[in-house]
Amino acid sequence: MREAPPEVRPARLADVASLVELRLANAQAHLALDAAIYRIPQRDAVARHFVAMLTDEAGQDGLLVAEAQDGRIVGMVEVLRHPDPPEHQILRPEPSAQVHTVVLPDARGLGVGSALLAAAERWAADRGIRYLSAGIYHRNIDAVRFYSRHGYTDAGLSLGKSVD
């Protein structure tokens, strides 16, 4: 018999320790993709970030978790708003945000990520956000596949150059 899907709900301060573990596990996985780009952040800095998000009275950004039947947090999604472009720039303002989804390895393939992403999209739409992006490293094939399955498409090209 298959376990019931996890409940997706807004994160709470009591979830901070679990959120930190999710971020650090995600960092470890990304480090394996490319150690020249990724790092393992300091645990206390990650905890401060999540506490700040959860105590922000303006509630500009969203943080949702997937809680399994046993109470364990098995995934999270952050919805981080983009600021509008300044008036002197040529881009039109469009309420938009970046989405970051993390699911523990033992919970992958069970619909957790899909449930989190759907909840993030509802959260964003309810707040007038009209466009979500997911900044994915090109070597992260699983993430590219996941977001593509959910309708996210190539939205352009970002070029860069080291100037050292």
Side-chain angles (χ1 to χ4, degrees):
M1 181 177 198
R2 192 166 189 196
E3 187 176 320
E7 173 194 0
V8 176
R9 61 167 174 77
R12 303 184 285 248
L13 281 172
D15 300 323
V16 168
S18 295
L19 293 166
V20 170
E21 293 308 317
L22 280 163
R23 172 63 46 86
L24 294 177
N26 191 44
Q28 195 68 46
H30 279 75
L31 193 66
L33 288 172
D34 194 332
I37 294 176
Y38 296 105
R39 65 184 174 146
I40 306 295
Q42 295 295 314
R43 181 177 294 274
D44 61 330
V46 176
R48 283 192 308 272
H49 164 73
F50 288 125
V51 168
M53 278 189 80
L54 294 170
T55 57
D56 176 18
E57 290 183 18
Q60 291 296 312
D61 296 324
L63 183 56
L64 306 168
V65 296
E67 182 177 357
Q69 296 297 310
D70 63 3
R72 186 171 67 115
I73 302 300
V74 296
M76 70 171 183
V77 62
E78 290 178 279
V79 182
L80 307 172
R81 287 183 195 249
H82 293 141
D84 282 342
E87 290 183 12
H88 64 83
Q89 288 190 349
I90 63 173
L91 289 174
R92 292 176 185 251
E94 178 181 34
S96 64
Q98 189 165 60
V99 64
H100 299 278
T101 309
V102 180
V103 176
L104 289 177
D106 66 339
R108 291 188 184 144
L110 303 174
V112 175
S114 296
L116 283 164
L117 192 55
E121 291 171 357
R122 283 190 303 275
W123 184 94
D126 288 349
R127 286 153 183 83
I129 296 171
R130 297 191 335 229
Y131 182 81
L132 289 176
S133 62
I136 305 299
Y137 183 55
H138 70 280
R139 291 186 187 157
N140 192 346
I141 302 302
D142 290 338
V144 170
R145 198 174 302 131
F146 169 77
Y147 284 102
S148 295
R149 272 196 332 262
H150 291 87
Y152 290 70
T153 60
D154 186 348
L157 181 62
S158 176
L159 302 175
K161 175 184 174 184
S162 291
V163 292
D164 50 334

